[in-house]
Amino acid sequence: QVQLVESGGGSVQAGGSLRLSCAGSGDTYSRACMGWFRQAPGKEREGVATINRRSGRPYYADSVEGRFTISQDNAKNTLYLDMNSMKPDDTAMYYCAATGYSPSYLDLCRPYERDFRYWGQGTQVTVSS
């Protein structure tokens, strides 16, 4: 069983920065694909960024490429999302998620929701103009 707890959400003005954290536990956590997803009111949930926990290989959605950075601290079993140059369109509930399988070392973890078995409760991010 994997447990995920997000923190770090809040309110920020456009152009500002926030860091989200996701503390994880569980036997498969250290070997999984991890990801950040977000859902804005009235919109479908979308994958923002993922990371192969074995290799550290990241993936970013086009909407956040160059502004967001996903990273991990294996010693702390914590996943991060550094968000810079934020825009009002980044306003959403952000979720941390983990797959139930272990990827191959060089695999790119695609943000397909069906592959992500474990989910956190979410943390709200609001960007004002």
Side-chain angles (χ1 to χ4, degrees):
Q1 187 72 15
V2 174
Q3 293 182 328
L4 304 171
V5 179
E6 304 98 333
S7 61
S11 297
V12 65
Q13 289 190 327
S17 300
L18 278 177
R19 168 177 260 202
L20 303 183
S21 299
C22 173
S25 61
D27 292 341
T28 62
Y29 176 74
S30 63
R31 297 176 284 120
C33 285
M34 297 289 297
W36 288 98
F37 294 75
R38 67 185 181 186
Q39 187 167 23
K43 295 186 178 181
E44 293 186 354
R45 189 157 55 186
E46 65 169 334
V48 173
T50 67
I51 191 167
N52 180 324
R53 290 221 62 186
R54 298 183 65 189
S55 63
R57 184 180 183 184
Y59 165 90
Y60 297 100
D62 290 343
S63 58
V64 305
E65 179 81 53
R67 299 189 299 120
F68 290 11
T69 302
I70 189 171
S71 61
Q72 58 186 359
D73 184 330
N74 291 335
K76 297 181 180 179
N77 275 350
T78 301
L79 183 73
Y80 302 102
L81 185 68
D82 288 298
M83 304 183 290
N84 299 308
S85 302
M86 298 187 72
K87 305 174 182 179
D89 285 348
D90 295 323
T91 296
M93 184 71 78
Y94 283 71
Y95 298 90
C96 173
T99 60
Y101 66 87
S102 178
S104 297
Y105 186 80
L106 295 178
D107 277 355
L108 182 66
C109 295
R110 298 285 182 178
Y112 300 140
E113 286 192 42
R114 63 178 183 269
D115 292 336
F116 287 79
R117 179 177 180 181
Y118 305 102
W119 293 81
Q121 294 300 307
T123 185
Q124 178 67 39
V125 171
T126 302
V127 184
S128 59
S129 57

